[in-house]
Amino acid sequence: MKAEEAKKRIADLSRQIHRHNHNYYILSSPEISDYEFDMLLEELIKLENEFPQFADPNSPSKRVGGDITKDFPTVEHRIPMLSLSNTYSEEEIQAFDQRVFKELEMHPEYVCELKYDGVAISISYEGGQLARAVTRGDGTKGDDVTANIKTIRSIPLQLQGHFPADLEVRGEIFLPHEGFARINAEREEIGEAPFANPRNATSGSIKLQDSSIVARRPLECIIYSIHGANLPNTSHYENLVEARKWGFRTSDFVIKSDKLDEVFAFIHDMAESRPALPFDIDGVVIKVNDYPQQDILGSTAKSPRWAIAYKFSAEQAVSKLLSVSYQVGRTGTVTPVANLEPVSLAGTTVKRASLHNADIIEKLGLHEHDYVVVEKGGDIIPKISAVKVEARTAGADPIGFISKCPECGTPLKRDEDKAANYCPNARGCPPQIKGRIEHFISRRAMDIDSLGEGKIDILFENGKIRDPADLYILEMSDIQGLSKVYPGEGEKKERTVSFKEKTSRNIIEGIRESLEVPFERVLFALGIRYVGETVAKTLAEHFGSIDHIISADHDSLVEIHEIGERIADSVVSFFKDPENLSLVDRLRSAGVKMETDTGDTQQKTTLASRSFVVSGTFSGYSRDEIKNLIKSNGGKSISALSGKTDYLIAGENAGPSKLAKAVDLGIPVLSLQDFLDMIS
């Protein structure tokens, strides 16, 4: 066959196979037999091998795999992959609905979908061609697993119909029950241990180095979210309908309704149908359908305010309590942990379960060697929910909470209004010291990933570090050659962590690179109680430098939107401590950023001391973008109107009650253009 003929035949075969894949996996309406399909694919592979210059990166032949990937590069998500807020209570669904109604000042239309129990994925398309597939990771960054994702037949390599040129879809990859059983049967035949559950099998599959192995695993993908600049509709449900036309598989179990009783009916139906479904689900997701309304509701740092997940009741099992041990966290909180006889639960073997605090132990009435009911909260974290009192051994002693720190021996304390016991020896208790340093280096803080896997433990035990500032005086000669052997447990073998030359160099380079981390993340890294990522960003944007925050009093802090009494007290208390001030000075001397970039601070006078409420939707701007403009120009973005509010920025569909209240209070109402003129 001549080259030109081969080129045409390859293109024709590719079109046919793409269409037959769509008919089989998306429409469930095959037009040809499996044998005929295999013959077409075999011909395509043969021609591509003979004429590799005509092979397409998204050829249907990629479905069989064969690419070897030794590393999965980390990729930053263009739009963060946020986690959903979870609930097990219908009352909380009602509270969610009330919050949404209060903010929108109208009843929204909801879309209810299944919450598939698999692995989240983000897939980008350029010009209709699959360009990249990235795991959720930490929500900000994930791993590029494109080669493996191309082997999943329910994910189109080439879109069809009228689709946006630049498109990102998100979905869940999972293993149906039938496929999971088949994989485990095959593994047992060759003497390999079976997977514990479909989720673990899915997670392990998409990170395999050999994509040909992934291709042999019957993974599937359901798309549940669509992003792009030119989507055909301004609503979620309608775009899901369009996505099916483009070649994606979307859920067959979905409803759209503006009535909460229909939402609950869907939840009940799916809970009853769950055992009969051919795949695992762990709940139902409720989303506001309208995109402009989603924009109005916005998001927190971790989850959207326009969606919530209702989780089904957790699976339970009975096990025997062997003992109770105690763990000390970085803030000194002491958490009791039940050590159990191993028991199978939700596809995994459970040996430990959280007891949370002394009150829970007392409420359970826990005695030595009790038989207990164990469940997985959210099907993830085991906890003890009840005690089988009728099975208790006569004369068994009750479990009493310890009075001294299990790590340093310091008498424990407990605040009257708190449930947790804690060790007050913050400066001398090893787990607290190591915990603060581990928080400091974590990905969302200083992101020194070269110090993971127990390396902080080794540095601490060898007297190399006692606080985060000590990291910045480390030299290669200080750490090279250090090591520690960690004992094995059960089937796990012991492992040795050592600082060889390459490891030591990576650690030093990672510490130096952290000097470029912006101030807001440095502030979060300090580990001030109640100061999470969002609060740290708010404080950094408002004050601009660590010195201004140190000088701030309680009253000036609580004036800031979203800074309450508890946070203000914690910030003031933290910076009254001479050792914390010394830590800040040492970090500053090392070159750690203690103020926002100069460009940011220069912009902080335009709207100084003025507060704004934003209501409605705006052409060309999201509400979050407008709020960021307010903050970056020194103003305050607040959620509720009061006599202290300076302006209301009103767009289309602005809340009538907000407009009326602004008139009553004499608050000027600005259009978007009025506001832009103000900051120009």
Side-chain angles (χ1 to χ4, degrees):
M1 183 179 288
K2 295 181 179 179
E4 194 60 33
E5 293 175 333
K7 182 178 180 181
K8 290 180 179 179
R9 182 56 179 164
I10 287 173
D12 181 55
L13 286 168
S14 295
R15 281 192 295 270
Q16 288 188 59
I17 296 171
H18 277 310
R19 179 167 59 83
H20 290 308
N21 257 321
H22 177 73
N23 290 340
Y24 187 91
Y25 290 99
I26 307 302
L27 303 181
S28 299
S29 180
E31 295 179 349
I32 60 175
S33 68
D34 289 349
Y35 175 79
E36 290 172 307
F37 180 89
D38 290 342
M39 291 301 99
L40 292 174
L41 185 60
E42 187 176 312
E43 182 184 354
L44 175 63
I45 293 172
K46 182 180 179 181
L47 284 173
E48 286 180 339
N49 288 334
E50 291 182 15
F51 301 91
Q53 67 271 33
F54 302 133
D56 190 293
N58 284 325
S59 166
S61 62
K62 294 296 182 182
R63 300 290 195 190
V64 302
D67 293 332
I68 302 297
T69 307
K70 293 186 177 180
D71 296 302
F72 296 95
T74 300
V75 177
E76 186 166 354
H77 295 295
R78 289 190 296 178
I79 304 170
M81 292 186 74
L82 302 178
S83 300
L84 292 173
S85 298
N86 293 329
T87 181
Y88 296 87
S89 162
E90 291 189 8
E91 288 75 16
E92 290 187 12
I93 297 291
Q94 291 173 328
F96 165 77
D97 179 60
Q98 291 167 4
R99 288 194 299 271
V100 170
F101 174 78
K102 183 178 179 181
E103 183 67 22
L104 299 179
E105 299 184 9
M106 63 179 296
H107 287 291
E109 189 173 57
Y110 291 117
V111 176
C112 299
E113 308 167 49
L114 298 183
K115 189 174 187 299
Y116 293 86
D117 193 12
V119 176
I121 195 75
S122 172
I123 312 172
S124 299
Y125 289 82
E126 297 173 2
Q129 298 277 336
L130 194 156
R132 176 174 282 173
V134 182
T135 62
R136 179 194 295 277
D138 65 358
T140 302
K141 299 175 183 176
D143 295 326
D144 187 332
V145 290
T146 307
N148 287 342
I149 296 307
K150 284 183 176 181
T151 68
I152 301 175
R153 296 181 184 273
S154 53
I155 295 176
L157 303 178
Q158 166 67 60
L159 302 184
Q160 59 186 22
H162 301 287
F163 47 80
D166 186 14
L167 181 69
E168 180 181 351
V169 298
R170 289 170 178 181
E172 197 85 358
I173 299 173
F174 60 92
L175 263 172
H177 295 157
E178 183 180 344
F180 175 66
R182 192 189 84 197
I183 289 174
N184 272 350
E186 292 172 352
R187 291 174 69 84
E188 289 174 353
E189 281 182 9
I190 60 175
E192 292 186 0
F195 288 113
N197 54 53
R199 182 199 293 162
N200 288 2
T202 301
S203 179
S205 295
I206 65 174
K207 294 296 291 289
L208 287 170
Q209 294 183 342
D210 187 345
S211 63
S212 66
I213 300 176
V214 185
R216 294 196 294 271
R217 296 185 176 175
L219 298 169
E220 295 188 15
C221 182
I222 294 287
I223 298 302
Y224 56 68
S225 180
I226 302 167
H227 305 269
N230 296 297
L231 298 180
N233 301 288
T234 59
S235 55
H236 170 66
Y237 180 86
E238 284 67 26
N239 280 331
L240 283 180
V241 173
E242 291 298 317
R244 203 170 183 91
K245 298 176 184 176
W246 302 333
F248 295 108
R249 183 180 174 192
T250 58
S251 179
D252 295 323
F253 302 90
V254 59
I255 66 162
K256 180 174 65 170
S257 176
D258 59 359
K259 296 179 176 61
L260 205 56
D261 58 350
E262 293 182 358
V263 171
F264 288 133
F266 181 79
I267 290 173
H268 299 156
D269 287 345
M270 291 300 101
E272 292 177 7
S273 303
R274 184 185 184 191
L277 293 174
F279 42 74
D280 286 343
I281 62 171
D282 56 6
V284 168
V285 179
I286 301 105
K287 304 176 182 176
V288 171
N289 187 36
D290 186 70
Y291 289 160
Q293 290 179 347
Q294 290 183 7
D295 185 46
I296 289 172
L297 294 165
S299 303
T300 67
K302 296 181 179 179
S303 58
R305 292 190 176 98
W306 44 264
I308 191 169
Y310 179 88
K311 301 290 286 289
F312 295 137
S313 298
E315 292 187 35
Q316 296 182 334
V318 176
S319 181
K320 185 178 181 180
L321 176 68
L322 301 178
S323 63
V324 175
S325 55
Y326 296 85
Q327 298 175 344
V328 183
R330 71 177 174 90
T331 61
T333 299
V334 178
T335 303
V337 177
N339 301 301
L340 308 168
E341 283 188 349
V343 61
S344 179
L345 179 61
T348 59
T349 300
V350 173
K351 300 177 182 178
R352 296 181 181 87
S354 174
L355 287 166
H356 300 291
N357 53 54
D359 289 350
I360 295 297
I361 292 177
E362 184 177 352
K363 184 177 179 181
L364 288 169
L366 197 63
H367 284 56
E368 290 182 350
H369 308 304
D370 269 346
Y371 284 89
V372 296
V373 177
V374 187
E375 65 178 40
K376 281 193 171 183
D379 293 334
I380 297 174
I381 304 172
K383 64 178 182 180
I384 292 176
S385 59
V387 174
K388 295 284 188 180
V389 179
E390 67 277 9
R392 178 174 293 157
T393 303
D397 293 327
I399 300 291
F401 203 88
I402 57 174
S403 60
K404 293 183 178 180
C405 176
E407 297 288 341
C408 67
T410 302
L412 300 180
K413 290 186 176 182
R414 176 173 174 175
D415 296 333
E416 290 184 6
D417 59 339
K418 303 287 173 55
N421 295 68
Y422 69 95
C423 171
N425 184 23
R427 304 295 178 188
C429 185
Q432 295 187 62
I433 297 171
K434 290 186 285 186
R436 287 193 294 273
I437 300 173
E438 287 165 357
H439 171 76
F440 184 85
I441 68 166
S442 63
R443 176 174 284 191
R444 294 182 180 274
M446 302 303 286
D447 193 20
I448 312 177
D449 60 1
S450 56
L451 272 171
E453 298 181 353
K455 297 185 179 71
I456 291 296
D457 192 37
I458 297 173
L459 292 173
F460 177 82
E461 291 189 3
N462 282 275
K464 301 299 181 182
I465 54 174
R466 282 295 179 271
D467 64 31
D470 287 339
L471 295 170
Y472 294 92
I473 59 175
L474 291 175
E475 302 286 347
M476 283 278 290
S477 57
D478 295 324
I479 63 177
Q480 190 170 338
L482 299 178
S483 66
K484 181 176 179 178
V485 177
Y486 290 87
E489 183 178 339
E491 296 180 357
K492 293 183 179 179
K493 298 179 180 179
E494 68 175 24
R495 64 187 180 94
T496 301
V497 177
S498 59
F499 291 175
K500 297 178 181 178
E501 181 180 356
K502 183 178 179 181
T503 300
S504 302
R505 185 179 296 108
N506 289 340
I507 290 172
I508 299 301
E509 289 178 358
I511 292 170
R512 288 173 181 164
E513 289 172 0
S514 73
L515 297 176
E516 299 303 315
V517 168
F519 172 50
E520 65 191 49
R521 283 170 52 193
V522 174
L523 189 59
F524 171 61
L526 290 176
I528 305 170
R529 189 184 290 267
Y530 309 129
V531 176
E533 292 175 77
T534 303
V535 171
K537 185 175 182 179
T538 298
L539 291 172
E541 290 176 344
H542 183 85
F543 289 104
S545 74
I546 195 76
D547 293 323
H548 289 149
I549 297 175
I550 292 172
S551 301
D553 59 18
H554 177 277
D555 291 342
S556 62
L557 285 164
V558 295
E559 286 180 359
I560 303 170
H561 179 53
E562 295 182 349
I563 305 297
E565 300 280 343
R566 186 176 66 171
I567 296 173
D569 288 341
S570 179
V571 171
V572 170
S573 175
F574 183 88
F575 289 114
K576 275 186 177 179
D577 188 324
E579 292 198 37
N580 289 335
L581 293 176
S582 173
L583 172 65
V584 169
D585 287 341
R586 291 169 59 218
L587 289 171
R588 192 203 311 262
S589 298
V592 174
K593 291 187 177 182
M594 291 295 172
E595 61 183 13
T596 55
D597 291 337
T598 304
D600 292 338
T601 55
Q602 288 177 342
Q603 298 177 10
K604 290 188 176 293
T605 57
T606 309
L607 303 178
S609 303
R610 284 181 275 187
S611 60
F612 297 77
V613 170
V614 183
S615 180
T617 58
F618 302 86
S619 177
Y621 287 83
S622 70
R623 281 163 56 101
D624 284 342
E625 287 173 332
I626 295 172
K627 290 177 181 179
N628 287 336
L629 284 173
I630 293 169
K631 292 178 182 178
S632 65
N633 284 277
K636 301 176 185 177
S637 173
I638 57 179
S639 58
L641 288 166
S642 71
K644 296 182 179 180
T645 306
D646 292 297
Y647 298 99
L648 170 65
I649 304 174
E652 294 181 22
N653 303 314
S657 64
K658 283 189 172 70
L659 290 169
K661 190 170 184 178
V663 172
D664 290 343
L665 295 174
I667 298 171
V669 179
L670 305 178
S671 67
L672 174 60
Q673 191 57 53
D674 292 334
F675 170 70
L676 295 176
D677 291 342
M678 182 181 288
I679 62 174
S680 63

